[in-house]
Amino acid sequence: MNRFLHLIILGACWCSASVSLTAQPHYDYSRLQKEKLGRGVVAFRHTPYDVVVSWRYLSSDPQGVTFNVYRDGKKINPVPVANCTFFRDRTADTSAATYEVRPILHENAQAVCGSFQLPANAPNGYIEIPLQRPAGGTTPDQRSFEYTPNDASVGDVDGDGEYEIILKWDPTNAHDNGHDGYTGATLFEAYRLNGERLWQINLGHNIRSGAHYTPFLVYDFDGDGKAELAVRTSDGTVDGKGKVIGNASADYRGKGGPEDPRGKGRILTGNEFLTIFSGLTGEALCTVPYLPPRGNPQDWGDSRANRSDRFLAAVAYLDGHTPSMVFCRGYYTRTVLAAFDWDGKRLKRHWLFDSNQQPEYAGQGNHNLRVGDVDGDGCDEIIYGSCTIDHNGKGLYSTGLGHGDALHLTQFDPSRKGMQVWDCHENKRDGSTYRDAATGEILMQIKSPIDVGRCMAADIDPDYPGVEMWSSDSKGIRSVTGATICRSPRRMPTNMAVWWDGDLLRELLDHTTLSKYDWKEQKCVPLLRFEGCLSNNGSKGNPCLQGDIIGDWREEVLVRTEDNKALRLYISPEPTPFRFHTFLEDPIYRISIATQNVGYNQPTQPGFYFGPDLKSTVFRGTRLP
């Protein structure tokens, strides 16, 4: 069994043992192209009197490994750190310091060390990443705009085993597909955690700005150890080296008015490309025609690009070995997905799926998607809302339940084989559904006469087995058995979820407030407010990024400051009695980070059950010393 499938759980009420998950992911880890992860060391000042140091526990580590922690070369832990990958340095010294973590190994053993530079007078509670805010501009109708940090992703762009941030800047006049109007250009920038900017890419005025136009993928597609950026481009896109793609003078924007029925600012014609950029330099490495093509916008459901310009994207291990990029168009009516492979020199089409050839798959897409090996064949499928596309580019199943706004994929029920899906629907009929991810079988349904716009899944109540589910009209919180746990929960967020406080339950994030569900009082209690920060995307209230980015197995929250001049990376300061391999080594979880920016952002989720029911799992393996 692959080492990733084992949890090391060390606590006051636990024997030290290797815990085997009841339903493992189906990936053959020996074949899978994976990132080479570093130690992920991070240090931040928690209070004026202490610094928190946190780091990754890797599947390549010896099972009984312990650690020493050093400040400026001097060991500061009195005994080896064994029960977690977390240490609190009691110091009021606010000068700059270098923290290093070293594994304690037997002779000739190899393992990863790591360090972090804590700047002088660091702020309490987070890492601040200064940004170089781009200058605004003026649209052809003389309306000015500025830029705000929006969604972000992470990737190791230089091959050192640590992540850099790829940030999307949105103009303040970004528009939803349903609205006319010019927009400023969408920008991308790469930053190191110390604020060093590596490059800027300008998508140009022929790519409209808004939540549905520009899903972007940051991943190491060719296996060279360095992440790339893949995104839809057009004539006038400028890469990180200043090179223009296509025709710099082309302008496909509608001018509006009686002489131009296209609608002001809308783009219904013109070239569309798929470009893969170097994550390190921003240089355009390869550009090909974008698939799926626009064609006649009316073929997608209307004449104003509201339907034809609905884009999604994903990373998927379609062959069970190397990652492919999948770019998608349409979900209200016609649905087309195109998969590409990048070998470091060229983009090659893997397959193309078109609902025109399988009509039962039309109109089944969501504002987001999920990826994972749901049928156990060792290759990834794409959960595209109410339908699922097989790894070979053919339909696996369609439930016919139609479009929705939110979607969750994980192993909800630790006693049930495989993974499940929790989805909500906009058709004012089907409400919310819980289904088997492999077959589409509906396991539970809460019908509703309203548009159910949001749904959430997280293990928040230890008194019930598995992951709990709720939605904007689920008539309470539901368990995996369909039981109503709480009929009228108070202030239940439906936007994001975060493993934060150190236990195995998950916390809830809504806008800039992190809360914990009190299952006894049946209400959410705020734990932390990210003061001086703002969330993104209106009512969706999501951070720039959420996930296990750095440090131990808990998740971080990346948000923008109110003045849009910096990002803040919030890291849990709470001790934990558990040691768990970083979630980043689970492909389903890692892909859920890469696709978090797609459409309406959804929280990360692993491909296996994770929560307090692990206490009932069978212990196996060798006891640790």
Side-chain angles (χ1 to χ4, degrees), residues 379-393:
C379 304
D380 277 337
E381 285 71 47
I382 299 164
I383 295 81
Y384 204 80
S386 292
C387 64
T388 294
I389 311 304
D390 207 348
H391 71 276
N392 58 8

Side-chain angles (χ1 to χ4, degrees), residues 131-136 147 165-170 185-191 196-204 229 231 236-245 277-284:
L131 301 174
Q132 299 179 39
R133 190 182 186 189
Y147 279 99
I165 296 168
I166 310 299
L167 176 66
K168 178 166 75 84
W169 289 91
D170 267 1
T186 299
L187 309 177
F188 286 97
E189 292 184 338
Y191 285 90
E196 178 188 354
R197 190 180 74 175
L198 301 180
W199 47 256
Q200 182 188 93
I201 294 169
N202 186 325
L203 293 188
L229 165 67
V231 69
T237 294
V238 182
D239 76 1
K241 295 282 192 178
K243 182 181 177 181
V244 177
I245 295 173
F277 298 89
S278 165
L280 181 59
T281 67
E283 178 184 6

Side-chain angles (χ1 to χ4, degrees), residues 95-166:
S95 59
T98 298
Y99 283 88
E100 185 180 9
V101 172
R102 303 176 194 170
I104 303 171
L105 300 170
H106 300 297
E107 187 177 358
N108 299 322
Q110 299 290 321
V112 180
C113 299
S115 63
F116 186 86
Q117 306 291 324
L118 182 69
N121 301 308
N124 292 346
Y126 54 85
I127 295 173
E128 182 144 304
I129 305 164
L131 301 174
Q132 299 179 39
R133 190 182 186 189
T138 304
T139 57
D141 56 358
Q142 301 305 304
R143 296 178 181 271
S144 61
F145 62 89
E146 296 181 328
Y147 279 99
T148 59
N150 192 253
D151 294 333
S153 193
V154 290
D156 177 9
V157 305
D158 56 9
D160 67 352
E162 306 301 340
Y163 285 149
E164 284 72 43
I165 296 168
I166 310 299

Side-chain angles (χ1 to χ4, degrees), residues 363-368 384-386 399 401-408 421-435 444-446 448 450-457 469-474 494 600 602:
Q364 301 303 310
N366 270 33
H367 285 297
N368 30 65
Y384 204 80
S386 292
T399 66
L401 295 169
H403 167 72
D405 282 4
L407 178 69
H408 305 273
V421 173
W422 174 240
D423 196 4
C424 56
H425 310 282
E426 280 192 348
N427 57 22
K428 299 182 180 181
R429 180 193 67 210
D430 290 311
S432 308
T433 53
Y434 172 56
R435 73 177 191 253
M444 174 178 63
Q445 181 170 15
I446 303 103
S448 175
I450 70 169
D451 169 353
V452 181
R454 304 295 287 170
C455 66
M456 179 53 62
M469 297 163 270
W470 64 99
S471 72
S472 52
D473 193 36
S474 59
T494 55
Y600 294 165
Q602 297 291 275

